[in-house]
Amino acid sequence: MNGPNLSAPLRRGLAAACAALLFVALATGTATGADPSPSPSPSPSPSSSGGLDPRITEIMRKPEYRNAQWGLLQTGPDGGRVVHSMYPDQFFVPGSTAKLVSVSGPWHTLGSEHRFVTPLYAVGDRQGATLTGDLDLVAQGDLTMGGRTRPDGTVAYTDLDHTYANDFTGATLTPENPLAGIDELARQVRAAGITRVDGDVIVDSRLFAPDPVLDPTPTPLIVNDNLIDLLTTPGDRAGADARLDWRPKVAPYQVGSTVKTVAAGGPTDITVTATDGGTRIRLSGTIAADAEPLLRTSPIADPAAFGRAALIQSLERAGVRVTADPAGPNPVARLPRDYEGRPRVAAYTSPPYAQYAKLVLKVSHNLGANLGICLMAVTTGSRQCEDGFPVLADFLDEAGVDRGQLQLMDGRGGNPADRATPEALVQMLTYWQRTPDARLFREALPILGVDGLLAENCRDCPARGKVFGKTGAAVGGDALNDRLAVGAITIAGYLDRGGGRFDPFYAGVNGASTPGPNTQEVVAIANDLALIAAYLQEAPPSP
């Protein structure tokens, strides 16, 4: 990713873009970079132990970290013996390493094998193949509704997810049909013998109330991550209209484009605008003739109404006539108090929760991380997402994690109040080593040089495939000095030390800064954190 000079945009929107927490993923270097120039050594914490690899010390002495604070902790597999330690009990901005905690909570609460079963009820009078009444889809907080499910039941992801397409070039789509779960429900309705619905289709979203403090905000029904995907491809020659494809195609959403193809090497600059509640989407700008297809997204403002429309159209394709207008509102006033005695005519069953946790951790899926907070609240009978935090607190106490060393206001690690000490995150990682799901959890993390947000780091170094780590970042603008302020770059996970030994570790830096406003300079800092993890793994075993 080539970072243009961002002086003006920096003051307007860089913080939001960089909060996507992806910079480690976007790095293209390996762990064989040139030695940094020496500068004054950082003051080690009094709790430091053991000799750090000199390559790590050299990284920490770079000018970018002159005013920064480093945190470091590596322990033995059981968390008892400290291998390396630097400010282990001080608060750091966690970035997406907070997801190690927020994913662990619902994993423990729901169980790795938990599956979301989303039912569809017939509410009314059925005579033969005709239902006079409504079909009610009762949303259950299924993160993907089949939209990423492969034939073998696993959940598909790409190393740079489409949820980050508006922030970073290179995001790609999975090939699965985003409406797969909706289509399956429609097929089951037809198989149940219903061919006509004289009434409406309603999405029941009473599972929990959307909480705007959680950003992005989870909803009980989620289709395609509540996004419309917009893929622009250059035309055949300069001056030609660019080609546009989009998905999922659901009424009343309409998409148009005035994007033009420009000469090879020219600017690719596409703007997406949405009106009429997000249902009228227009793309404008240019794309270079030699450019790769460019993915952008537009948010679905009303997921329940969108799901209703999608289901009505899927029913029509399956041979079920619905008299209601798919472009109409979601008529929640018609919902019954409950569904006792109502026939269930269809249900979609999700993959196991561990697959969803893997998606969240591999790609740093912010919506999925926040959703976990709401799902924990639901287990208590509450509709208020904030009631998930006491459930998380109880789990942390049970897991032996000192929750006084954590501050969380969301699941993604993007709230300004979020803090975590290296010790708390290593305690969380150590907990999983004692469980039957130890390997499942470890392999759900990005793997250095292999997949997820660490796929492009260290592809040719000895540590490739031997570091399992969740990355994080929090970056904003420094308009005063025309540079970037790096609130945090972090990584935490496991080091494969051989012989079945996996050391939990954390490495992070708060308060770094870049020489200028080029985002590639933040990528370089993220590379440094990946290098530190690699060097920790490569170190000879301690006696």
Side-chain angles (χ1 to χ4, degrees), residues 6-12 14-15 67 475-486 512-517:
L6 295 176
S7 298
L10 161 75
R11 292 187 287 272
R12 296 194 298 267
L14 179 70
N67 305 117
V475 182
D478 176 6
L480 178 66
N481 297 295
D482 193 25
R483 64 184 181 182
L484 304 181
V486 183
S513 57
T514 62

Side-chain angles (χ1 to χ4, degrees), residues 235-259:
D236 296 330
R237 65 186 186 286
D241 292 337
R243 293 185 287 271
L244 173 67
D245 193 14
W246 61 282
R247 71 175 203 182
K249 295 181 172 68
V250 172
Y253 281 72
Q254 298 179 12
V255 179
S257 173
T258 59
V259 177

